[in-house]
DNA sequence: TAGATTGTTAATCGATTAACAATC
DNA sequence: TAGATTGTTAATCGATTAACAATC
């Protein structure tokens, strides 16, 4: 249906969703693009432009109904169905992400944890038993997996990803410090903490 | 000195740095913008344009010396001096980040961990004793702090940030699920995991 | 009806790509 | 010198902002 929406717009949608969620918590019923623009520090024009990529959610002379707009953006972002997630690499970051996914968002569910270290086998993190990476093939046969979170060293990221793509995985949440080369039709969302930290360090330099 | 460089360019610099680091490990001595463009899946034009924001690092007919370019970008990104980091909120994510900063990058050093939970007081994570948030004022008097990592719930992020700004903090690495409102001259680098996950979920929807 | 505010078109601004002269 | 490849200017493309007619 809606197509050709720019990545820049997509990246802003979760932020709108977040602000609308807060308005909802505060019991605000309606909001104009102008009010919202002041809160979010973006232009009202951009808000209207962004939203109209997906449809006319507002009403002239009234503004936007917060609950309605929240729900609509939720639908756009796929908050209507459950995404099943598994995670490979149960180190410090892996454990944190496992817990994070568990508590943070209702539409994501962690259904499996995998590692190569035999000493971790069978241990529980966030209520889920750690399995060995060898067992991935078997697991994938019997479970629907929508997203794979990769919290492994950069060296193993590429081979593990290839193996998982082979098994039908279409989406990665990649914390490894590499850009995965994936075939058409496979999605990678990177969280490059190191890049983020270096951007910060650059900006600090500019401050002085 | 160099000024008015767009955020888009800055965000790409750590990625160049990463690729050059890998080339260096592989013993590659020189590279042309064209070769690099093929590896990185960006245009050669963009690479040359980006780099020339900071200076002419290449040589006609030769290309770029990998070691030299790596070092130069390192300087640009502030890899020449140590950045002292403290972290507030030693939960799962906080612990992971503490370890991450310890191992990942040489130019960052974790020098303090803080939490509000008295049961955590004195416990060690990544070789650092956890202190209470009450002790922040005293700590800040006696230590130079360049970056504060916030791994706390969104409710406490704003007040803690305000308090730290009061104490002279100029840069935040924010993992809390809010956009901090900070005065001019204070930098916030956000890592919004939830936003990232929702972007991924959007893209999955589009796949089908 | 009058006022408010959207949806949308047009204008501006910025970022990316192409082209090529300079030069190693 | 001839070939390669940069640095940089110009052209294109896309994204943001401004403006305003449509309409609730």
């Amino acid at each position: 249906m809606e197509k050709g929406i720019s990545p820049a717009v997509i990246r802003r949608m979760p932020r709108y969703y977040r602000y609308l969620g807060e308005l909802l918590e505060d019991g605000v019923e309606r909001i104009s693009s102008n009010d919202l623009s002041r809160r979010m520090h973006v232009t009202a024009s951009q808000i209207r432009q962004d939203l109209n990529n997906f449809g006319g959610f507002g009403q002239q002379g009234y503004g936007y109904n917060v609950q309605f707009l929240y729900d609509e953006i939720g639908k756009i972002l796929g908050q209507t169905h459950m995404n099943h997630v598994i995670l490979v690499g149960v180190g410090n970051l892996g454990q944190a992400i496992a817990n994070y996914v568990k508590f943070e968002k209702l539409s994501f569910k962690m259904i499996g944890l995998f590692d190569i270290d035999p000493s971790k086998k069978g241990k529980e993190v966030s209520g889920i038993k750690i399995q060995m990476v060898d067992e991935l093939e078997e697991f994938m046969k019997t479970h629907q997996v929508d997203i794979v979170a990769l919290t492994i060293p950069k060296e193993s990221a590429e081979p593990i990803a290839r193996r998982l793509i082979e098994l039908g995985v279409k989406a990665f949440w990649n914390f490894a410090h590499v850009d995965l080369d994936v075939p058409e039709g496979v999605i990678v969302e990177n969280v490059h903490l190191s890049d983020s930290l270096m951007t910060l360090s650059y900006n600090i330099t500019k401050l002085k």
Side-chain angles (χ1 to χ4, degrees), chain A:
Chain A
M1 50 206 89
E2 70 263 356
K3 55 172 174 190
I5 293 160
S6 85
V9 175
I10 311 291
R11 292 248 157 240
R12 284 195 289 269
M13 297 311 287
R15 187 152 180 265
Y16 290 131
Y17 193 62
R18 187 143 47 80
Y19 274 84
L20 288 163
E22 274 172 26
L23 286 170
L24 219 47
E25 278 177 26
D26 295 351
V28 179
E29 262 178 42
R30 57 184 252 193
I31 192 152
S32 69
S33 56
N34 223 283
D35 284 355
L36 190 56
S37 88
R38 244 174 281 117
R39 285 171 188 260
M40 294 185 66
H41 304 292
V42 296
T43 64
S45 205
Q46 180 164 77
I47 294 175
R48 295 204 298 277
Q49 198 75 277
D50 281 352
L51 296 178
N52 273 87
N53 279 295
F54 301 97
F57 300 136
Q59 204 167 312
Q60 282 97 331
Y62 170 89
Y64 299 87
N65 178 286
V66 175
Q67 179 73 61
F68 176 73
L69 187 54
Y70 180 79
D71 291 343
E72 287 300 315
I73 298 182
K75 282 184 211 163
I76 291 166
L77 292 173
Q79 291 304 288
T80 39
H81 59 278
M82 189 59 74
N83 284 288
H84 287 184
V85 184
I86 65 169
L87 181 145
V88 183
V90 196
N92 281 296
L93 189 59
Q95 290 185 37
I97 298 301
N99 278 288
Y100 185 85
V101 168
K102 180 167 184 186
F103 294 118
E104 194 62 24
K105 278 286 160 201
L106 296 170
S107 70
F108 300 93
K109 190 175 185 190
M110 188 60 77
I111 59 164
L113 300 174
F114 295 85
D115 206 289
I116 41 161
D117 180 357
S119 76
K120 287 183 186 163
K121 182 165 182 168
K123 284 192 180 161
E124 277 200 10
V125 169
S126 178
I128 299 170
K129 274 208 173 65
I130 299 175
Q131 296 175 261
M132 293 295 96
V133 165
D134 299 342
E135 303 172 75
L136 266 172
E137 277 74 9
E138 189 54 34
F139 186 90
M140 291 291 293
K141 272 187 211 149
T142 48
H143 295 78
Q144 204 217 314
V145 174
D146 302 300
I147 297 171
V148 177
L150 293 178
T151 43
I152 50 184
K154 65 174 177 190
E155 292 74 23
S156 27
E158 197 73 60
I160 286 278
R162 248 198 297 277
R163 195 163 145 195
L164 286 159
I165 290 167
E166 199 80 3
L167 294 169
V169 171
K170 291 268 178 279
F172 291 93
W173 198 24
N174 178 43
F175 291 79
H177 200 214
V178 272
D179 299 323
L180 300 174
D181 235 329
V182 296
E184 181 83 30
V186 176
I187 302 159
V188 180
E189 168 74 17
N190 289 308
V191 179
H192 287 328
L193 293 178
S194 189
D195 288 16
S196 168
L197 201 46
M198 290 182 86
T199 307
L200 184 54
S201 138
Y202 170 86
N203 286 319
I204 291 173
T205 312
K206 294 302 101 185
L207 222 57
K208 289 160 190 167

